[in-house]
Amino acid sequence: MSGWRGSRFGGGGGGGGVGGECPTAEHISSSRTVRLGKVQPQAPGHRTVFCNDREANALTKFKGNSVSTTKYDVFTFLPKGLFEQFRRVANLYFLMISILSCTPVSPVSPITNVLPLSLVLLVSLIKEAWEDWKRFQNDMAINNSTVDVFQDQKWVCTPWKKLQVGDITRVRQDGFFPADLLFLASTNMDGVCYIETANLDGETNLKIRKALEKTWDYLTPEKLSEFKGEVQCEQPNNSLYTFTGNLIFQKQTLPLSPNQLLLRGCTLRNTEHIVGVVIFTGHETKVMMNSMKIPSKRSTLEKKLDKLILALFSVLFCMCLLGAIGSGIFINRKYYYLRFDSSEKQFDPDNRFVVAVLTMFTLITLYSPIIPISLYVSVEMIKFIQSTQFINNDLCMYHAESSTPALARTSNLNEELGQVEYIFSDKTGTLTRNLMEFFKCSIGGEVYGTGVSEIEMGTAQRSGGKIEVQKATNAALEKGFNFDDARLMRGAWRNEPNPDFCKEFFRCLAICHTVLPEGDDSPEKIRYQAASPDEAALVTAAKNFGFFFYKRSPTTIYVRESHVEKMGKVQDVPYEILNVLEFNSTRKRQSVVCCYPDGRLVLYCKGADSVIYERLADGNNDLKRTTREHLEQFGAAGLRTLCLAYRDLSSDSYENWNEKYIQAKSSLRDREKKLDEVAELIEKDLVLIGCTAIEDKLQEGVPACIETLSRAGIKIWVLTGDKLETAINIAYACKLISNNMKQFIISSETDAIREVEDRGDQVELARFMKETVKNELKRCHEEVQQYLCSASGPKLALVIDGKCLMYALDPSLRVMLLNMSLYCSSVVCCRVSPLQKAQVTSLVRKGAQRITLSIGDGANDVSMIQAAHVGVGISGQEGMQAVMASDFAIAQFRFLTDLLLIHGRWSYARICKVVTYFFYKNLTFTLTQFWFTFSTGFSGQRFYDDWFQSLFNVIFTALPVIIIGLFDKDVNAALSKKYPELYKEGIRNTFFKWRVVAAWAFFAIYQSLIFYYFVIASSTSGMNSSGKMFGLWDVSTMAFTCVVVTVNFRLLMMCNTITRWHHISVGGSILAWFIFVFIYSGVVLPKEQENIYFVIYVLMSTLYFYVTLLLVPVAALFCDFVYLGFQRWFFPYDYQIVQEIHRHEPDNSRIGLLEIGNDNLSPDEARSYAIMQLPGQKSKHTGFAFDSPGYESFFASQAGVYVPQKAWDVARRASMRTRPKTPKN
């Protein structure tokens, strides 16, 4: 074995054995690892894996296959958990206060500050520990799952965690791949297997993977014992769809591609078992490298809350500084009766500076309650309940067809939903259904298809015309095919003037794709598994035209052709697929090189019109012009277009090109770039066949939703890859753009730009384009200024395409673009890339400092979703990648109305009230202590008992503020949607401005003065039943009682709706105070702590207590009452006007919960509601988890409710520990 390892690269000596046979191997050998007797350090560019050789791989020290998704372990939990908690400034502040309270300068017992902080930390740490324990259990279940590993000439059942790089494994049907595997062999013919990638991207359609032909036979233990190979591949990375490497086997270098890689977490389907070599393990697998957390987002209100906390810090510092200066001035030996002692530094009249400094620390401890320790915990609890109980359970956002509820994936951004000013939306699958239907086509310059699209109907309505819709002659149209034109059906195309074009058109549809057929090979029963619904629609169209694709092998496509040679004749034709040049966002096209049974070599190509037209052969200008007109006509009808072309190849030219293609495919560095360059060599001199037009209908309720959001003051931008005409017409259909809007169009499709393009000078083109875009932006900006100056100018809309946008985003022009676009009510960006989507979103977010929301449904929308303040994913036809990267997930675009105008607005208003109320009650409480300081010579004497101070926030005022954060509602859901203008209050941040905070601060100062001076003044002449004057603790207990009662009643005054929960919480909090003080006053404590022993009993035995308890809160709240009445009468908020309009209408809706009464539900809604009430279980996932509802189908069957399967059912099943299967003999 060691001798084989030492000489495997070069045979005899110089390493020329491989290089002589394969030119690619010579290029690779110069940079790869060469082993002469021992393993050398690996090059950073790639890794080398020795198949079935643990000894050789052990020297490289690859990572193990055990995965851990936990945040902590036994040793790091306490230090790391505490570190996470003390990253919050408030917790760090209270830690400092707790430390200070343990020093001699503290006037209060350490328990006063240590206890609340300990409770907060304990609750947080228990929550962290529980979540981490569940992650640990899930990790253990996954790591202990078993798989067959080839060891000692036989299959050995081994736990996943013991798997090593280079091991040969066997995975059975419906099993999960335990690591990233190089696919060697399969029980299916031709070395193919079918996999399901639901755990990666949510897509349940099957994907095909093909092993290298040289390894097909290595399936049995006898053959595998002979298998010795070496894999050189890229280093671990998080790119799910790319893989470059070579398999060096039997002195040959075989190129590897993503087709040979089986990713961890995927499921094997329709295949008895496969054999593969482990390439990446554990945390180096692609799925684990993608399981990083979504970028952390903090709401704008939370950031402003930090500023408020800093303002409170400033107030606290000023209060303490004033007290410190006062103590330094006050302390004097003339107050001999105070018995100042020089031995106590804090009361040494001879050293006033030290007295002031020590008093500063004393007062910091005394006034610490001004910063509310329970604020963060209360706000987090409120947000969590808002998201899990209200948003997730709202039937108005439940999509019955797909059985998909709304899902709040984070609770941090609830209130951000109530302040969104800009929405960035994808089009396909977001505004439209992403259910593609073949609708029209153009073949050889002739248009076929008589249907009328939704956009054409909308266009006719705008112009006041009418379109008569003809009934389809095809009675039974299948999914994906909505074409009606008898000239092409049932072989009638043979009678057309261009039958050869028709034949090439249909063959291109049937051959140029990556679709997988499933089921019986009959047109009625076959099912197509396609990477996109467009591809499925095109293949379905070919089938209906008589070119039925029914079978695929790795090298051949089988098409059942009808009426080709003569009418009625059906023949099965195999087409050998020689090369597939795959589609990507850069190429925007897909090509297939195929060989006919008679030896004819043809390249079929389909793609965007812009890239196909660049590659057409010279001549045939009439066809090109006519087809371009048809493309514009289809685009105006809102249809998605693709151009089809072909090229006949000679065998010599193909062989020469194929050598270059194989070389590029074998390259380890820049493989994708080299493949694109090679593709350019053959994708030229194409012959145009025609174009297809596919309709993607608008989702239900999209126009009404956009119109409502626009009335709410939200500006909507559509970012799409469609052509300019298509994008504009979709915008019209969505009511995003209307005829009474002034439109500014900045397009690269102008004669001047085309003329420069034709010259072929890219540098000159770039310069000209930038100058053109600059001039256009200046012109538009000047026009905008003119419209803004007019009294009743129209609304403005901007349309810009991707090429112009690329230059407009240049640092020198982006400010001009931003200023221009901010004046527009609607913006449409067409022909944009995923990167440009994210750049536009970031431009508005960072440049305009406005709150943004991005919504999309596909993987190409992820960067845009993560770039916005709030990301919303549509759980649609393009998998779950957008949902997994989002903050909120909904099933339909129209649900944005409920998410923003109802839940978002309510959450914003509620959180604002919670924060400002916390600020008010803590400032009020602390200021009473501050006024007392002036009566004590600034000595730091406490006014309240330690336990009063500790429990004020934790018990006596905690519950009511949570209730208002959950159930307060200014207007109900129906009125929120009827008056979307109410949403503008959130955009303007009406409820959390500094003037609002200042008003609360004023009333806090006023009330604290009432509490302190009214109680003090009234107590001077007051006496208890034994004739003694009231002491300090009598007065402070009386004042504290007034504070508790007043702040709780003040909360009721700020409520818009008062429910039984408000009564219970407020009444319960006041009752809790009296129960506590009765018990506490009756307990005999040590002498130094017996401050309020029997105090409450003495107080309540006097008339003074009841008169003060009645009059002081009334006097304290009188000013608030007058202010609220004055504000509502003369300066009302918008919601208060709506309240007055509808004040006599009863509100029968459930407060804060579902807005639908069960009695009025339709049968579908009742079934949906029954599903929502079923018990659920959190999804246990494999390191890339997202929460989804539990096993509804099981619980539903128990409850007698029918539940359809969800798209992510498979992903949920994948997350559970499977039963070990009995090995087959």
Side-chain angles (χ1 to χ4, degrees):
M1 185 71 76
S2 61
W4 183 84
R5 288 201 305 270
S7 61
R8 69 180 68 180
F9 285 101
V18 178
E21 291 187 19
C22 178
T24 310
E26 183 179 350
H27 170 72
I28 295 171
S29 64
S30 62
S31 61
R32 71 185 179 188
T33 305
V34 178
R35 298 174 61 241
L36 298 174
K38 66 175 183 177
V39 176
Q40 301 292 328
Q42 294 203 7
H46 62 271
R47 68 161 46 186
T48 301
V49 176
F50 303 111
C51 304
N52 202 19
D53 190 347
R54 283 196 170 188
E55 290 179 11
N57 290 320
L59 297 173
T60 315
K61 296 182 180 178
F62 293 115
K63 288 191 176 180
N65 198 42
S66 177
V67 297
S68 173
T69 58
T70 59
K71 291 170 65 177
Y72 314 101
D73 58 34
V74 176
F75 301 104
T76 63
F77 173 69
L78 207 55
K80 196 173 177 181
L82 289 174
F83 173 76
E84 289 290 329
Q85 295 304 317
F86 289 122
R87 286 174 65 181
R88 283 183 171 172
V89 178
N91 285 347
L92 199 60
Y93 163 77
F94 277 101
L95 176 64
M96 181 190 73
I97 296 298
S98 299
I99 294 171
L100 273 179
S101 66
C102 297
T103 64
V105 299
S106 172
V108 297
S109 169
I111 197 73
T112 306
N113 295 300
V114 173
L115 180 65
L117 178 63
S118 301
L119 285 174
V120 169
L121 293 178
L122 183 64
V123 170
S124 300
L125 288 176
I126 288 174
K127 171 179 168 286
E128 288 285 320
W130 173 253
E131 290 178 351
D132 220 44
W133 174 251
K134 300 303 288 184
R135 284 191 286 263
F136 173 74
Q137 287 183 315
N138 190 30
D139 291 342
M140 290 299 293
I142 293 165
N143 290 332
N144 290 320
S145 301
T146 57
V147 69
D148 292 336
V149 177
F150 187 67
Q151 291 178 347
D152 301 326
Q153 316 299 317
K154 61 181 179 181
W155 294 111
V156 179
C157 192
T158 306
W160 282 20
K161 63 185 178 184
K162 293 186 178 179
L163 213 57
Q164 296 180 18
V165 171
D167 285 351
I168 295 178
T169 65
R170 179 175 65 180
V171 179
R172 300 177 184 276
Q173 182 168 336
D174 298 329
F176 302 99
F177 301 123
D180 290 352
L181 308 178
L182 171 63
F183 182 22
L184 294 181
S186 163
T187 51
N188 287 345
M189 61 176 291
D190 296 331
V192 299
C193 73
Y194 300 92
I195 66 169
E196 192 175 74
T197 59
N199 282 346
L200 301 185
D201 52 22
E203 294 182 12
T204 53
N205 53 309
L206 300 184
K207 313 287 193 307
I208 192 170
R209 293 292 181 265
K210 175 189 173 186
L212 296 173
E213 191 171 349
K214 295 282 185 183
T215 64
W216 286 358
D217 297 332
Y218 292 90
L219 198 61
T220 62
E222 294 76 19
K223 290 290 291 183
L224 284 171
S225 60
E226 304 170 4
F227 182 78
K228 299 296 176 187
E230 176 183 325
V231 177
Q232 286 195 339
C233 64
E234 62 191 15
Q235 291 289 1
N237 59 68
N238 63 355
S239 176
L240 292 173
Y241 306 109
T242 62
F243 177 72
T244 52
N246 290 328
L247 173 63
I248 302 173
F249 176 60
Q250 295 178 349
K251 295 188 178 182
Q252 286 185 306
T253 300
L254 308 172
L256 302 174
S257 71
N259 275 331
Q260 287 84 48
L261 192 65
L262 307 175
L263 299 182
R264 176 185 174 119
C266 294
T267 313
L268 183 66
R269 301 289 187 202
N270 299 353
T271 307
E272 188 177 335
H273 68 259
I274 64 97
V275 172
V277 176
V278 177
I279 302 296
F280 302 126
T281 50
H283 288 277
E284 292 186 336
T285 56
K286 288 181 180 285
V287 69
M288 291 304 295
M289 296 190 81
N290 271 277
S291 65
M292 297 180 217
K293 290 184 178 178
I294 298 166
S296 179
K297 296 180 180 179
R298 295 181 68 210
S299 70
T300 308
L301 193 142
E302 191 175 340
K303 294 174 185 174
K304 290 178 180 174
L305 175 58
D306 288 344
K307 294 180 181 177
L308 178 60
I309 296 293
L310 288 175
L312 287 175
F313 275 128
S314 303
V315 172
L316 173 64
F317 179 78
C318 292
M319 290 165 59
C320 295
L321 183 62
L322 181 62
I325 294 171
S327 70
I329 295 172
F330 174 82
I331 197 159
N332 197 310
R333 290 201 181 275
K334 69 179 181 179
Y335 302 115
Y336 61 90
Y337 48 84
L338 294 178
R339 297 179 183 177
F340 292 129
D341 187 355
S342 300
S343 62
E344 286 191 47
K345 298 292 186 184
Q346 191 169 353
F347 304 105
D348 183 3
D350 299 327
N351 198 341
R352 293 172 182 266
F353 178 75
V354 173
V355 170
V357 171
L358 293 176
T359 303
M360 181 85 174
F361 287 113
T362 298
L363 295 179
I364 286 175
T365 311
L366 193 62
Y367 301 152
S368 61
I370 196 172
I371 310 290
I373 190 171
S374 56
L375 171 60
Y376 286 103
V377 175
S378 300
V379 168
E380 279 189 6
M381 187 185 302
I382 290 167
K383 287 182 179 182
F384 178 75
I385 296 174
Q386 282 176 349
S387 60
T388 57
Q389 298 303 313
F390 299 162
I391 294 178
N392 292 0
N393 288 342
D394 190 350
L395 272 177
C396 294
M397 294 193 291
Y398 176 77
H399 191 231
E401 290 179 24
S402 61
S403 188
T404 308
L407 177 66
R409 291 175 45 80
T410 178
S411 60
N412 294 340
L413 304 172
N414 293 358
E415 69 276 14
E416 200 88 325
L417 291 171
Q419 296 180 277
V420 172
E421 188 171 358
Y422 286 88
I423 292 178
F424 299 92
S425 175
D426 176 40
K427 181 188 77 72
T428 304
T430 304
L431 299 177
T432 59
R433 300 179 186 180
N434 203 18
L435 296 173
M436 309 301 177
E437 294 180 334
F438 189 94
F439 199 66
K440 291 185 178 183
C441 62
S442 168
I443 306 175
E446 187 72 26
V447 173
Y448 297 94
T450 59
V452 179
S453 69
E454 287 182 342
I455 311 301
E456 287 177 299
M457 293 184 204
T459 306
Q461 289 173 0
R462 288 198 306 276
S463 59
K466 287 187 179 179
I467 294 181
E468 293 187 5
V469 181
Q470 299 179 0
K471 289 189 177 180
T473 54
N474 296 335
L477 295 176
E478 65 177 297
K479 179 181 177 182
F481 189 70
N482 189 22
F483 179 85
D484 182 47
D485 195 328
R487 291 178 295 168
L488 294 185
M489 306 303 294
R490 301 177 185 85
W493 55 268
R494 291 173 57 87
N495 302 321
E496 288 300 294
N498 50 7
D500 290 335
F501 271 110
C502 290
K503 190 160 48 176
E504 294 295 347
F505 183 89
F506 300 147
R507 280 178 176 159
C508 185
L509 295 182
I511 295 172
C512 186
H513 57 77
T514 56
V515 175
L516 296 175
E518 268 191 348
D520 297 338
D521 59 351
S522 63
E524 297 79 19
K525 295 183 179 180
I526 200 163
R527 297 189 309 276
Y528 291 128
Q529 295 283 353
S532 70
D534 298 79
E535 281 223 303
L538 294 176
V539 175
T540 302
K543 178 180 75 173
N544 282 272
F545 290 136
F547 288 71
F548 172 35
F549 160 61
Y550 66 93
K551 182 180 177 184
R552 175 192 285 277
S553 75
T555 57
T556 310
I557 276 181
Y558 298 87
V559 180
R560 187 166 297 156
E561 298 182 352
S562 306
H563 319 296
V564 175
E565 294 184 0
K566 64 178 183 179
M567 285 295 294
K569 183 177 180 181
V570 179
Q571 55 187 358
D572 291 347
V573 183
Y575 294 95
E576 185 181 358
I577 304 301
L578 302 177
N579 306 90
V580 177
L581 306 178
E582 296 183 357
F583 175 91
N584 60 44
S585 58
T586 306
R587 284 168 40 77
K588 296 182 180 178
R589 62 190 182 279
Q590 179 186 41
S591 299
V592 165
V593 180
C594 68
C595 181
Y596 279 47
D598 60 3
R600 178 192 176 197
L601 288 174
V602 184
L603 169 86
Y604 284 114
C605 183
K606 67 181 181 186
D609 57 299
S610 56
V611 295
I612 297 295
Y613 265 74
E614 290 173 357
R615 291 161 177 79
L616 294 178
D618 295 333
N620 219 347
N621 291 327
D622 290 341
L623 176 60
K624 293 178 186 176
R625 187 183 64 256
T626 306
T627 305
R628 187 177 285 279
E629 289 172 0
H630 294 162
L631 284 165
E632 291 173 358
Q633 177 186 328
F634 294 152
L639 303 176
R640 296 162 60 89
T641 57
L642 280 178
C643 281
L644 274 57
Y646 77 98
R647 176 189 174 190
D648 283 306
L649 303 172
S650 66
S651 57
D652 292 339
S653 63
Y654 170 73
E655 290 297 335
N656 292 333
W657 174 85
N658 195 39
E659 286 182 15
K660 297 174 185 175
Y661 177 76
I662 292 172
Q663 269 192 332
K665 202 171 182 182
S666 304
S667 174
L668 272 180
R669 295 176 184 273
D670 301 324
R671 179 180 293 183
E672 296 297 324
K673 181 182 176 184
K674 291 177 181 176
L675 283 173
D676 288 351
E677 291 171 355
V678 171
E680 292 283 353
L681 300 176
I682 198 170
E683 292 172 328
K684 62 182 183 180
D685 299 330
L686 302 176
V687 177
L688 183 64
I689 306 172
C691 63
T692 62
I694 291 177
E695 183 178 27
D696 184 12
K697 293 185 178 179
L698 289 175
Q699 285 185 15
E700 179 187 347
V702 166
C705 175
I706 288 179
E707 190 175 26
T708 302
L709 294 176
S710 298
R711 286 175 57 199
I714 299 172
K715 300 176 179 66
I716 301 173
W717 294 30
V718 173
L719 313 177
T720 177
D722 285 327
K723 293 192 297 295
L724 188 74
E725 299 81 8
T726 307
I728 291 174
N729 283 285
I730 288 286
Y732 266 109
C734 295
K735 297 187 178 178
L736 192 65
I737 296 177
S738 59
N739 284 333
N740 55 7
M741 280 184 171
K742 170 60 182 175
Q743 297 176 29
F744 300 98
I745 299 177
I746 303 176
S747 171
S748 60
E749 298 293 321
T750 63
D751 293 335
I753 293 176
R754 284 200 188 104
E755 187 178 332
V756 177
E757 280 180 341
D758 292 339
R759 296 176 198 160
D761 188 344
Q762 295 300 317
V763 176
E764 171 65 16
L765 176 63
R767 188 200 60 76
F768 183 79
M769 283 278 293
K770 185 174 181 179
E771 192 64 29
T772 303
V773 171
K774 182 178 180 180
N775 294 334
E776 284 291 305
L777 284 173
K778 279 185 178 178
R779 179 186 61 80
C780 294
H781 197 271
E782 289 169 0
E783 283 191 49
V784 166
Q785 296 301 324
Q786 293 174 5
Y787 283 109
L788 292 175
C789 293
S790 60
S792 57
K795 286 186 175 181
L796 309 176
L798 171 66
V799 182
I800 185 170
D801 69 10
K803 285 184 180 178
C804 293
L805 185 63
M806 180 173 66
Y807 295 100
L809 289 171
D810 185 88
S812 60
L813 297 180
R814 66 174 60 156
V815 175
M816 197 184 303
L817 172 68
L818 180 63
N819 291 334
M820 160 76 190
S821 57
L822 291 181
Y823 292 125
C824 298
S825 301
S826 304
V827 176
V828 178
C829 301
C830 52
R831 295 287 198 191
V832 292
S833 66
L835 176 62
Q836 286 178 319
K837 290 182 179 182
Q839 288 175 332
V840 170
T841 306
S842 297
L843 178 68
V844 176
R845 174 177 179 165
K846 296 175 182 176
Q849 298 291 311
R850 309 294 173 88
I851 295 179
T852 57
L853 179 147
S854 290
I855 180 169
D857 73 319
N860 61 332
D861 301 317
V862 168
S863 56
M864 175 180 74
I865 286 172
Q866 293 183 344
H869 289 91
V870 182
V872 177
I874 299 278
S875 48
Q877 305 291 320
E878 292 191 25
M880 299 292 290
Q881 279 192 317
V883 169
M884 290 161 70
S886 67
D887 306 302
F888 299 89
I890 53 178
Q892 297 278 289
F893 183 87
R894 69 177 186 273
F895 294 157
L896 266 186
T897 306
D898 293 85
L899 187 65
L900 298 183
L901 302 191
I902 299 174
H903 293 286
R905 201 178 66 82
W906 282 351
S907 295
Y908 166 71
R910 289 165 177 170
I911 296 297
C912 286
K913 284 190 175 182
V914 168
V915 172
T916 50
Y917 176 75
F918 257 104
F919 167 74
Y920 146 78
K921 72 182 179 71
N922 280 63
L923 188 59
T924 304
F925 176 70
T926 307
L927 284 175
T928 55
Q929 175 71 63
F930 179 65
W931 307 134
F932 180 64
T933 304
F934 288 89
S935 303
T936 62
F938 306 99
S939 62
Q941 168 63 39
R942 56 202 168 103
F943 185 50
Y944 298 118
D945 182 80
D946 292 348
W947 282 102
F948 294 3
Q949 186 169 317
S950 298
L951 300 179
F952 177 73
N953 279 314
V954 178
I955 293 180
F956 306 140
T957 59
L959 189 57
V961 73
I962 293 176
I963 295 300
I964 199 174
L966 293 177
F967 297 119
D968 191 61
K969 187 172 64 171
D970 49 8
V971 297
N972 62 32
L975 293 178
S976 294
K977 290 200 281 189
K978 183 178 181 180
Y979 299 100
E981 292 81 6
L982 292 174
Y983 189 83
K984 294 178 182 178
E985 292 178 324
I987 295 176
R988 295 191 296 263
N989 196 23
T990 305
F991 304 132
F992 201 56
K993 291 182 180 293
W994 283 111
R995 62 178 179 83
V996 175
V997 174
W1000 279 102
F1002 169 79
F1003 291 117
I1005 295 169
Y1006 163 76
Q1007 290 183 12
S1008 65
L1009 288 168
I1010 295 289
F1011 294 141
Y1012 180 70
Y1013 287 105
F1014 273 37
V1015 173
I1016 288 290
S1018 61
S1019 65
T1020 53
S1021 58
M1023 290 182 294
N1024 61 25
S1025 55
S1026 60
K1028 293 181 180 179
M1029 288 184 65
F1030 290 124
L1032 167 62
W1033 303 112
D1034 299 300
V1035 176
S1036 68
T1037 302
M1038 185 71 249
F1040 189 82
T1041 304
C1042 292
V1043 170
V1044 170
V1045 171
T1046 303
V1047 298
N1048 276 292
F1049 278 121
R1050 180 63 182 88
L1051 181 134
L1052 289 178
M1053 290 174 64
M1054 66 190 290
C1055 293
N1056 288 298
T1057 49
I1058 297 179
T1059 68
R1060 66 178 183 274
W1061 297 109
H1062 292 77
H1063 294 133
I1064 292 170
S1065 61
V1066 171
S1069 297
I1070 296 173
L1071 184 63
W1073 154 244
F1074 281 107
I1075 292 173
F1076 167 78
V1077 77
F1078 264 93
I1079 296 172
Y1080 185 48
S1081 296
V1083 176
V1084 180
L1085 297 171
K1087 188 168 184 179
E1088 62 273 12
Q1089 294 179 355
E1090 59 180 13
N1091 302 325
I1092 66 162
Y1093 178 64
F1094 228 66
V1095 165
I1096 192 66
Y1097 302 106
V1098 172
L1099 272 175
M1100 294 187 71
S1101 65
T1102 65
L1103 180 63
Y1104 160 79
F1105 174 82
Y1106 299 100
V1107 173
T1108 306
L1109 186 60
L1110 177 65
L1111 295 181
V1112 170
V1114 170
L1117 293 174
F1118 177 75
C1119 199
D1120 296 72
F1121 182 78
V1122 171
Y1123 169 78
L1124 290 175
F1126 183 82
Q1127 177 268 318
R1128 189 177 183 94
W1129 273 96
F1130 298 103
F1131 304 100
Y1133 290 118
D1134 294 343
Y1135 76 86
Q1136 291 173 332
I1137 296 172
V1138 174
Q1139 285 176 343
E1140 290 298 321
I1141 294 172
H1142 297 275
R1143 70 179 186 274
H1144 298 303
E1145 297 177 8
D1147 180 12
N1148 298 320
S1149 61
R1150 294 169 59 187
I1151 305 301
L1153 298 174
L1154 297 179
E1155 289 291 321
I1156 298 178
N1158 293 346
D1159 298 336
N1160 302 320
L1161 295 181
S1162 67
D1164 285 342
E1165 290 172 334
R1167 182 180 65 80
S1168 300
Y1169 183 78
I1171 293 170
M1172 298 297 290
Q1173 301 304 310
L1174 298 174
Q1177 172 179 324
K1178 272 198 172 182
S1179 167
K1180 294 179 180 177
H1181 230 269
T1182 52
F1184 33 94
F1186 57 95
D1187 290 341
S1188 60
Y1191 287 88
E1192 290 177 353
S1193 53
F1194 169 76
F1195 291 115
S1197 62
Q1198 301 298 313
V1201 180
Y1202 166 71
V1203 179
Q1205 288 286 315
K1206 290 190 180 179
W1208 54 63
D1209 276 344
V1210 180
R1212 185 185 307 116
R1213 289 198 298 271
S1215 65
M1216 298 304 296
R1217 190 174 181 180
T1218 54
R1219 296 178 182 175
K1221 296 183 179 180
T1222 307
K1224 296 182 180 179
N1225 296 325

